[in-house]
Amino acid sequence: MVDTPFVIAGRTFASRLIVGTGKYSSHPVMAQAHAASGADMVTVAVRRVNISDRSRESLLDYIDTDRMFILPNTAGCYTADEAIRTARLGREAGLSNWVKLEVIGDERTLFPDNEALIEATRVLVREGFIVLPYTNDDPIACRKLEDAGAAAVMPLGAPIGSGLGIQNVNNMRIIREFARVPLIVDAGVGTASDAALAMELGADGVLMNTAIAGAQEPVAMADAMKHAVIAGRLAYLAGRIPKKMYATASSPVQGMVGR
Amino acid sequence: MFITLNGEPYELDEPMSIVDLLAKLAIDPRRVAVEHNLTILKRHLFGETVVHEGDCVEIVNFVGGG
């Protein structure tokens, strides 16, 4: 079955799976997981250089930047101003105007502060950024972000790193129906079926970090996620059968022996 | 003289450019972003921007994240 390409802000991606670079046991394991995932976009965080310890190897030494598009995030930012500042620094460090915008509203849940997120989106879009905001699974927040100029909407499936899978399937369906920009389920994926479900619901892509990096075998899980995203996408395009309460026989009822 | 480098006091013998500061710190200028007194510098300005006593400098790079 021929699919339409996965395009965000005019840029085409080969894979609908976007992966993180955090929490890996080592950089080589991360590089292997990235290769197994088939992803061609990775997220990174923007942090102060460790001045006293310059011996540590650079993350970028382990990312194939010819193949991978780098998406800096504003993780850990709690105000619009902080996120805007971090986005601007990320742009200078990476020389790309794309940003995964996060404005966190609460430490324990890491749920987004939607009001500040919308405000930061508006400012950064005006400055020429391609803004991909991490948001709540709220169709109205997604619509407002789109109106503010977001290049995609990235609702959470469940809290970051929770591995709970998509908690509000119905909201995700509604967001799918509303969204005129790419819909990427970001955060909350625990295992392959969660990623497949996101795609079956019609998401254009899935973004994950912990589900792969935290698995006992990250490289194998990256491979599983690659297949899950492909399978879920195909199932969405194929059009699933309706759910029914009772059985419908698959074998003919005529011609039974002895009747 | 002292500057504030990534939030900590840091001693320099004399004012120096961002390029020289990065060289002193053994940091590859192509992999970082630099903020000088709250202004984010374009890379081509690293040579002509001089850090003076009391200035605040932030040097950031990419690390693992989701």
Side-chain angles (χ1 to χ4, degrees):
Chain A
M1 187 163 194
V2 181
D3 196 356
T4 50
F6 180 33
V7 180
I8 307 170
R11 190 185 176 100
T12 303
F13 294 92
S15 172
R16 292 176 179 274
L17 174 59
I18 304 162
V19 295
T21 55
K23 298 186 188 171
Y24 282 95
S25 56
S26 72
H27 284 147
V29 170
M30 178 193 77
Q32 284 176 57
H34 284 176
S37 75
D40 54 352
M41 174 153 50
V42 294
T43 56
V44 298
V46 179
R47 292 291 180 270
R48 282 172 167 165
V49 170
N50 188 340
I51 302 293
S52 55
D53 177 16
R54 296 297 308 133
S55 60
R56 279 169 50 179
E57 53 198 2
S58 166
L59 174 74
L60 291 180
D61 292 334
Y62 291 87
I63 298 174
D64 179 1
T65 47
D66 290 333
R67 209 175 72 77
M68 293 285 195
F69 184 74
I70 294 191
L71 181 64
N73 71 27
T74 63
C77 293
Y78 281 82
T79 64
D81 284 346
E82 213 178 3
I84 291 164
R85 185 184 184 190
T86 304
R88 289 171 180 158
L89 283 166
R91 174 165 65 179
E92 292 313 313
L95 303 178
S96 132
N97 57 350
W98 289 50
V99 63
K100 174 185 162 178
L101 187 63
E102 296 186 32
V103 186
I104 303 301
D106 173 64
E107 261 179 52
R108 225 168 127 212
T109 60
L110 298 179
F111 282 147
D113 176 337
N114 282 329
E115 200 182 342
L117 184 67
I118 293 162
E119 185 196 330
T121 299
R122 210 169 277 134
V123 171
L124 290 169
V125 166
R126 214 179 298 136
E127 290 182 16
F129 278 87
I130 305 296
V131 180
L132 283 61
Y134 154 74
T135 178
N136 255 310
D137 55 357
D138 171 1
I140 307 306
C142 289
R143 181 185 276 169
K144 286 185 177 177
L145 286 163
E146 213 179 295
D147 292 344
V153 287
M154 305 210 296
L156 55 88
I160 294 172
S162 69
L164 289 170
I166 297 175
Q167 295 295 288
N168 197 334
V169 167
N170 198 48
N171 270 28
M172 214 53 91
R173 282 204 183 99
I174 295 169
I175 293 168
R176 169 66 294 167
E177 214 178 285
F178 281 11
R180 289 154 297 167
V181 293
L183 160 63
I184 297 161
V185 173
D186 177 9
V189 167
T191 188
S193 53
D194 300 331
L197 175 60
M199 298 307 293
E200 286 170 16
L201 293 172
D204 296 292
V206 182
L207 196 164
M208 65 181 74
N209 189 147
T210 310
I212 294 174
Q216 289 189 29
E217 298 288 345
V219 181
M221 188 58 92
D223 195 15
M225 291 302 184
K226 176 175 92 177
H227 288 96
V229 167
I230 292 168
R233 178 67 183 174
L234 276 172
Y236 171 71
L237 294 172
R240 59 153 300 147
I241 60 163
K243 291 183 180 181
K244 286 182 288 190
M245 187 139 31
Y246 295 104
T248 315
S250 300
S251 305
V253 288
Q254 283 87 28
M256 293 290 298
V257 175
R259 259 189 222 163
Chain B
M1 62 173 249
F2 277 91
I3 63 167
T4 303
L5 178 59
N6 285 0
E8 303 285 337
Y10 188 83
E11 190 164 16
L12 292 178
D13 294 335
E14 54 186 358
M16 63 171 67
S17 71
I18 296 291
V19 164
D20 291 339
L21 177 63
L22 291 173
K24 179 180 158 67
L25 296 166
I27 293 171
D28 182 347
R30 293 167 303 176
R31 290 210 166 159
V32 294
V34 179
E35 196 186 75
H36 177 231
N37 293 337
L38 296 175
T39 301
I40 297 169
L41 300 175
K42 295 282 175 199
R43 224 163 266 176
H44 69 269
L45 296 174
F46 286 3
E48 62 193 65
T49 305
V50 178
V51 180
H52 296 279
E53 166 129 46
D55 284 1
C56 282
V57 177
E58 293 280 350
I59 306 172
V60 301
N61 64 353
F62 290 147
V63 301

